[in-house]
């Protein structure tokens, strides 16, 4: 069990600063090479795709304003439209939306880019927090660094299944021994460039009882960070917001978030719904798949809501 000093030391011992150059903003996504993507395509053996995201509820998770117009030619200002056919065609109408959403937090499925977390005022690769501006967002390591998408081999490690419980209780951490036991039982091994998705079973809790309140949750323990670094994992996800809470470290509230994003440049996929993915994996006897994550290209943002797709 690493001490708090050990965890604080991870900011140095697990650092990827400069590993891919001083101007690198991709961090561990650099592990996803062309060969890794080709290998991910070969993981598709059944052609079955499942979503790993939660539906964004209205109005709980999203502010939504919907406009409906049964006949577009009757809408205010239609007479000023420059297209003549707009006035004449009285058969078509439309609906449109204006959406407002806060995707960071404990509910929506989203990806965190490295600029999401600072440590001592510093971001990944040694850049200052001052590069994040209130008006324009981040000029460094924003989600647009992944504009070409994250396509790689995904590996689901079902820790609740390994421990033979419906779900891990809030506050229970997942340790490297759990990861390796899951690999052994599932007949899979995490390799360079993989995305590792961690199932604690919290998705089942949400489906059966609704989202639990409070900040206590199961998740990755900080002791997994050296394991993830050694295996050269490109992306980690979980059915919780990653970190076990309480973390067990008085001075490091969220060590997985902080060390991953700031020191390692390891991108995070928070709040996945992994229940269908786990059921499908167990049915097919296949715990690896092609994972496709396509962040919205929001300029200067520290992440994006996403719908990760696992294809078996």
């Amino acid at each position: 069990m690493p001490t708090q000093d050990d965890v604080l030391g991870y900011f140095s011992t697990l650092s990827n600063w400069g590993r891919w150059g001083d101007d690198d903003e991709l961090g561990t996504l650099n592990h996803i090479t062309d060969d890794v993507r080709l290998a991910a395509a070969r993981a598709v053996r059944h052609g079955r795709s499942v979503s790993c995201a939660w539906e964004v509820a209205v109005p709980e998770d999203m502010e939504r304003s919907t406009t409906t117009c049964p006949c577009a030619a009757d809408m205010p200002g239609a007479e000023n439209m420059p297209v003549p056919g707009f006035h004449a065609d009285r058969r078509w109408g439309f609906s449109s939306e204006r959406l407002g959403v806060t995707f960071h937090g404990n509910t929506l499925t989203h990806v965190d880019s490295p600029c999401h977390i600072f440590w001592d005022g510093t971001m990944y690769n040694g850049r200052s927090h001052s590069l994040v501006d209130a008006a324009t967002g981040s000029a460094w390591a924003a989600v647009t660094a992944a504009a070409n998408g994250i396509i790689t081999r995904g590996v689901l490690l079902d820790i609740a299944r390994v421990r033979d419980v419906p779900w891990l209780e809030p506050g229970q951490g997942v340790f490297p021994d759990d990861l390796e036991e899951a690999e052994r039982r599932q007949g899979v091994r995490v390799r360079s460039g993989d995305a590792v998705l961690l199932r604690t079973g919290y998705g089942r809790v949400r489906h059966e009882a609704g989202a639990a309140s409070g900040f206590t949750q199961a998740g990755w323990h900080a002791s997994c960070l050296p394991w993830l670094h050694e295996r050269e994992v490109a992306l980690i996800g979980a059915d919780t917001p990653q970190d076990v809470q309480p973390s067990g470290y008085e001075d490091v509230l969220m060590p997985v978030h902080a060390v991953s994003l700031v020191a390692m440049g390891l991108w995070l996929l928070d709040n996945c719904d992994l229940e269908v993915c786990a059921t499908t994996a167990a049915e097919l006897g296949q715990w690896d798949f092609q994972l496709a994550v396509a962040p919205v290209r929001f300029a200067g943002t520290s992440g994006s809501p996403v719908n990760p797709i696992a294809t078996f």
Side-chain angles (χ1 to χ4, degrees), residues 159-161 163 165-174 178 198-202 205 217-219:
I159 306 304
R161 181 184 178 93
R163 294 190 185 178
V165 295
W167 53 74
L168 273 61
E169 295 298 330
Q172 288 187 316
V174 174
D178 293 309
L198 188 74
R199 179 178 178 266
T200 70
Y202 179 61
V205 177
Q217 65 198 28

Side-chain angles (χ1 to χ4, degrees), residues 7-8 10-12 14-15 17 112-120 122-125 222 225 236 241-243 245 251-266 268:
V7 173
L8 291 171
Y10 291 165
F11 285 98
S12 298
L14 305 183
S15 174
W17 291 11
D112 290 342
S113 70
C115 72
H116 177 47
I117 296 292
F118 312 141
W119 188 259
D120 288 335
T122 304
M123 294 185 284
Y124 170 66
N125 231 354
L225 290 165
I236 60 171
Q242 312 292 354
D243 289 77
Q245 291 294 335
D251 295 336
V252 196
L253 175 66
M254 296 190 296
V256 173
H257 263 75
V259 175
S260 292
L261 292 170
V262 178
M264 299 168 64
L266 174 62
L268 307 179

Side-chain angles (χ1 to χ4, degrees), residues 120-135:
D120 288 335
T122 304
M123 294 185 284
Y124 170 66
N125 231 354
R127 293 310 200 271
S128 170
H129 71 93
S130 63
L131 290 173
V132 181
D133 178 79

